Amino acid sequence: MPAAPDDSAAGGLSRRLFFYNAGFLRQPRLRQILRAAGWDLRVGLPGPRDRVVVWGRSPYAARGEAVAARRGCGIVRLEDAFLRSIQPGRAGGEPPLGLLIDPEGVHFDSVTPSRLERILATDALDDSAILQRARDGMAWLRALELSKYNNFDERLAPPPPGYVLVIDQIAGDASIRHGAANAATFREMLAYAQIEHPGARIVIKTHPETRAGHRPGHFGPTHCDARTSLLDTPVSPWKLLDGAIAVYTVSSQLGLEAIFAGHRPRVFGQPFYAGWGLTQDENPVARRSRRLTRAQLFAAAYLIAPTWFDPCRKRICSFEEAVDHLEARTRAFRTDRNGHVACGMRLWKHRPLQQFFGQLTPLRFASSPAKATEIAAGTGRNLLIWAGKEPQGFAPDVPVLRVEDGFLRSRGLGADLVPPLSLVTDAQGIYYDPTRPSDLEDLIAQEPPPGGRARVERLIAAIRATGLSKYNIGGALPDLPDGSRILVPGQVEDDASIRLGTSGTCTNLALLAKTRAENPGKIILFKPHPDVEAGLRAGHLPDAEALRYADQVLHKSNPSALLDQVEEVWTMTSLLGFEALLRGKQVTCLGAPFYAGWGLTRDLGPTPARRQARPDLMQLAHAVLIAYPRYFDPASGLPCPPEVVVERLAHGPLRRPGPGNRALAKLQGFFAGYAGIWRR
């Protein structure tokens, strides 16, 4: 976790910050970050040991600068860190994910050295651990297609490769004025690009705020000709950089990202990243003479200088944690940008579905496939349906996302109407249906992104340490018989995973019989499914029947604690098989759950021939726990990474279902035996 800015050379100055800009009152995130970083935000008049806080070199900074001059105290300047948000600040007021808190200057002002420049110029930047984090970070941002702003459409294709990229910026931006540039510099830059690449296409990249109509740029249609074009579509910056043969910039952050993408951009201003041997500088800064690597530049700009903020836990966090949060929000944005219309959803699910999928564009609910299709076709929305309950009648050309509970779901049962903290969406099928491909299968076959293996190892360790499972219910274990123990988890026998994922063995009794036949000398422990025990789902197996093959029936036992006491798990398709793999247990599958067929389980039933990849456990777990689900933080109301949900499930806070939910759940349980009628 990053430390607060070092004041050791500042003569013992206090941590009190006085502000004179209403923006600090209107933007609670700024106050949260500053206070979490140890700054004491105040109103009033500062003393000589205090400081005044202002926003960069904005016009509103003059008020604070004047007070500081009169009172003889220092100034702390704030700017957004280089990963900010989905939308630009002017496009809806989305708060920043991190800040550059600088008592020395501001990074884009080349006249006065900043804290970031001091780090680049004087810090050793030779710590092997930090440099490896930097290399992973560069590759990670590229793989996830994350930038400062992330309101682009990653599905859009850039122009055909082989172009020269010229980057436009906002007219009059402070980074231009204080970076030894002006409007004429942009015209000069374009001329250089055209002259230095006489046969190449020139693509001028419009700034996102110009595209959105917030502020004008420097280039427009009048600057285009037969080989010069204006690109104002929201293309991924990383895809755009991949297709460029050269990059020209004045002081844009996209020039910084061009360095990390492998370019040596031509720079016409004096941004902080120029002058370190990684750029071609038309207007160099004389005091910058050090030669740095890309990893050193990244380490200073993303790992050391910024103060990153965890918006869910309301604390300072590491760069990696900040990326986890931005990834979670960006994934939600990319999935939900066009909105959804949900069909066939039970009434109690409306609120949690709205929390997951309706934050950007409110979710619409339709009572029939025909109405849902009409709304989707007329508005460009996706269709959202609950997996396994797909009604007939949808138009074949309307995109459909199937929804199901995630694998770290809640503290309580879904059948008890406890809302989920994780959901999955699948555009191809759904994870428990082996009869057709699913998005999860594709993710399992892929190598995790840089840093992904280390992340999922930490996540698994946290899950094991906190004893978490899907529902997180169950009491203490009774005394267990001595010997080599096999856990047989019971399942809901009319569950879709049984119907679609099993063939010969499809009942709990048949599973127990097969397990006993194959393991005559071992201790077999049968754990009934919690939904069945609660009387909410069909599939009750009397103890007397189970004990024909099992040595012990474990009612309402904590599944995580139980897994620690067994050597093997035999299952049809239960999620407990996956949870057993996380704990290093041998798993035998008689059906085809999502984790079977990859070489990690002993498979006695048929598995899909298409599962040809041979992932290791970390690859499987990354897909299942990180890449596939979406998570929701009930405390902050934000999309969040799985690490936050692990903490909430282990320690709270969590909202408890009310008496109305309990009554509905009991009615559902009463009619469980008539499922074939009421679930149509």
Side-chain angles (χ1 to χ4, degrees):
M1 190 174 299
D6 182 12
D7 287 341
S8 60
L13 295 175
S14 79
R15 304 285 295 176
R16 300 200 307 176
L17 288 179
F18 290 78
F19 65 92
Y20 305 95
N21 188 323
F24 289 95
L25 296 175
R26 293 193 302 268
Q27 301 181 56
R29 178 66 57 79
L30 299 183
R31 302 195 302 274
Q32 290 171 344
I33 298 176
L34 288 168
R35 287 170 179 158
W39 297 96
D40 182 8
L41 213 56
R42 300 286 190 97
V43 294
L45 292 176
R49 296 178 65 249
D50 301 321
R51 280 170 283 193
V52 172
V53 61
V54 300
W55 189 263
R57 293 283 188 187
S58 76
Y60 303 105
R63 189 180 306 136
E65 291 168 345
V67 173
R70 287 197 304 271
R71 303 291 296 183
C73 61
I75 293 177
V76 172
R77 299 185 189 274
L78 306 184
E79 274 291 334
D80 291 328
F82 302 117
L83 293 174
R84 189 194 185 281
S85 53
I86 306 296
Q87 304 286 352
R90 286 177 171 80
E94 188 178 351
L97 192 59
L99 294 174
L100 292 168
I101 306 173
D102 198 329
E104 302 173 39
V106 64
H107 68 88
F108 56 74
D109 186 347
S110 60
V111 175
T112 304
S114 63
R115 177 171 176 263
L116 175 54
E117 183 176 329
R118 174 171 59 80
I119 293 169
L120 290 166
T122 64
D123 278 26
L125 299 175
D126 60 355
D127 183 278
S128 59
I130 290 180
L131 293 178
Q132 186 56 54
R133 287 175 61 200
R135 286 187 283 270
D136 287 343
M138 283 188 286
W140 195 14
L141 295 184
R142 191 170 186 176
L144 299 176
E145 295 188 73
L146 295 179
S147 184
K148 183 175 184 178
Y149 309 121
N150 295 278
N151 59 341
F152 52 84
D153 191 339
E154 81 288 353
R155 300 166 300 179
L156 292 178
Y163 49 83
V164 175
L165 181 63
V166 175
I167 304 168
D168 197 6
Q169 294 175 241
I170 299 298
D173 189 75
S175 72
I176 300 169
R177 298 196 313 273
H178 297 282
N182 53 39
T185 310
F186 284 81
R187 296 191 294 272
E188 180 187 21
M189 174 177 64
L190 178 59
Y192 267 82
Q194 294 169 330
I195 293 168
E196 293 174 349
H197 300 273
R201 289 174 289 124
I202 310 294
V203 173
I204 301 173
K205 170 68 169 66
T206 299
H207 192 277
E209 291 192 18
T210 302
R211 185 180 70 244
H214 299 302
R215 293 191 290 175
H218 296 87
F219 299 117
T222 59
H223 297 93
C224 299
D225 55 31
R227 67 185 185 98
T228 304
S229 60
L230 204 64
L231 181 68
D232 59 1
T233 53
V235 174
S236 163
W238 295 101
K239 287 189 174 72
L240 192 60
L241 290 169
D242 283 344
I245 59 173
V247 177
Y248 285 68
T249 184
V250 173
S251 58
S252 170
Q253 182 177 319
L254 191 53
L256 173 66
E257 292 169 352
I259 295 172
F260 303 143
H263 291 279
R264 191 164 182 258
R266 191 90 150 84
V267 178
F268 287 75
Q270 294 180 336
F272 77 90
Y273 55 82
W276 311 107
L278 299 168
T279 55
Q280 295 177 268
D281 300 325
E282 182 65 21
N283 188 11
V285 181
R287 65 179 181 269
R288 299 177 188 170
S289 58
R290 190 180 185 187
R291 293 296 175 261
L292 300 174
T293 66
R294 291 185 175 92
Q296 288 174 315
L297 176 63
F298 189 96
Y302 287 81
L303 304 183
I304 301 174
T307 298
W308 298 108
F309 186 72
D310 181 333
C312 294
R313 302 180 182 97
K314 302 293 191 292
R315 61 167 174 80
I316 301 303
C317 67
S318 67
F319 161 77
E320 289 83 359
E321 290 173 307
V323 174
D324 292 343
H325 281 278
L326 185 59
E327 179 192 11
R329 298 197 68 182
T330 302
R331 283 180 59 194
F333 169 79
R334 291 171 181 175
T335 303
D336 304 340
R337 61 160 58 92
N338 296 326
H340 308 279
V341 53
C343 181
M345 302 294 186
R346 291 178 181 169
L347 186 62
W348 80 269
K349 292 181 178 179
H350 284 203
R351 184 167 184 253
L353 288 170
Q354 194 72 257
Q355 291 173 328
F356 268 87
F357 302 108
Q359 294 197 7
L360 188 65
T361 303
L363 194 63
R364 294 185 63 177
F365 295 91
S367 57
S368 69
K371 184 64 175 177
T373 301
E374 179 186 348
I375 296 172
T379 61
R381 293 170 177 249
N382 297 309
L383 284 171
L384 210 63
I385 60 174
W386 199 263
K389 300 176 177 63
E390 188 170 344
Q392 301 300 309
F394 290 122
D397 56 342
V398 177
V400 174
L401 289 177
R402 295 163 190 86
V403 185
E404 186 53 88
D405 288 331
F407 310 107
L408 291 169
R409 185 193 183 280
S410 53
R411 194 185 298 155
L413 301 174
D416 219 9
L417 311 193
V418 177
L421 301 187
S422 68
L423 292 172
V424 304
T425 60
D426 203 304
Q428 298 185 71
I430 195 63
Y431 69 87
Y432 58 71
D433 183 0
T435 66
R436 56 181 171 175
S438 69
D439 292 347
L440 179 57
E441 287 186 343
D442 291 346
L443 291 167
I444 291 172
Q446 297 172 12
E447 178 67 24
R453 288 182 172 275
R455 181 186 179 190
V456 78
E457 285 179 4
R458 294 191 298 270
L459 182 62
I460 292 171
I463 290 171
R464 295 183 62 172
T466 51
L468 294 181
S469 62
K470 183 174 183 177
Y471 297 115
N472 303 290
I473 56 174
L477 299 183
D479 292 335
L480 302 177
D482 293 331
S484 180
R485 303 180 186 124
I486 297 175
L487 173 63
V488 177
Q491 294 186 242
V492 178
E493 292 183 354
D494 66 348
D495 191 72
S497 72
I498 300 293
R499 291 188 285 105
L500 299 168
T502 62
S503 52
T505 303
C506 54
T507 67
N508 292 319
L509 189 63
L511 172 63
L512 282 168
K514 179 68 171 178
T515 306
R516 173 57 72 197
E518 296 288 332
N519 302 277
K522 295 185 177 181
I523 303 298
I524 295 177
L525 307 173
F526 177 64
K527 182 188 182 318
H529 193 281
D531 280 350
V532 177
E533 283 193 302
L536 302 173
R537 299 287 298 275
H540 173 66
L541 179 64
D543 284 6
E545 288 290 299
L547 290 171
R548 291 168 55 193
Y549 306 104
D551 295 279
Q552 193 171 1
V553 178
L554 300 170
H555 293 286
K556 299 182 179 180
S557 298
N558 183 307
S560 179
L562 188 53
L563 286 172
D564 290 335
Q565 301 300 315
V566 303
E567 286 74 46
E568 300 178 55
V569 170
W570 281 58
T571 182
M572 293 179 285
T573 61
S574 172
L575 181 63
L576 269 178
F578 172 71
E579 295 176 356
L581 289 176
L582 297 184
R583 291 159 172 83
K585 308 298 180 178
Q586 180 180 325
V587 177
T588 298
C589 299
L590 277 72
F594 65 86
Y595 51 85
W598 306 104
L600 298 170
T601 54
R602 180 171 175 248
D603 301 322
L604 301 185
T607 57
R610 63 182 176 271
R611 297 181 184 176
Q612 293 296 308
R614 287 298 175 260
D616 60 16
L617 180 60
M618 293 302 107
Q619 189 171 336
L620 173 73
H622 187 278
V624 175
L625 296 173
I626 296 176
Y628 190 50
R630 289 174 54 167
Y631 296 89
F632 174 77
D633 176 29
S636 66
L638 296 173
C640 68
E643 292 84 354
V644 172
V645 163
V646 167
E647 186 172 308
R648 300 297 189 230
L649 290 173
H651 309 295
L654 293 175
R655 184 167 46 86
R656 297 184 179 275
N661 280 50
R662 291 293 306 168
L664 284 172
K666 289 298 182 184
L667 283 173
Q668 178 176 296
F670 178 79
F671 288 107
Y674 304 94
I677 298 173
W678 61 266
R679 284 189 190 158
R680 288 180 178 175

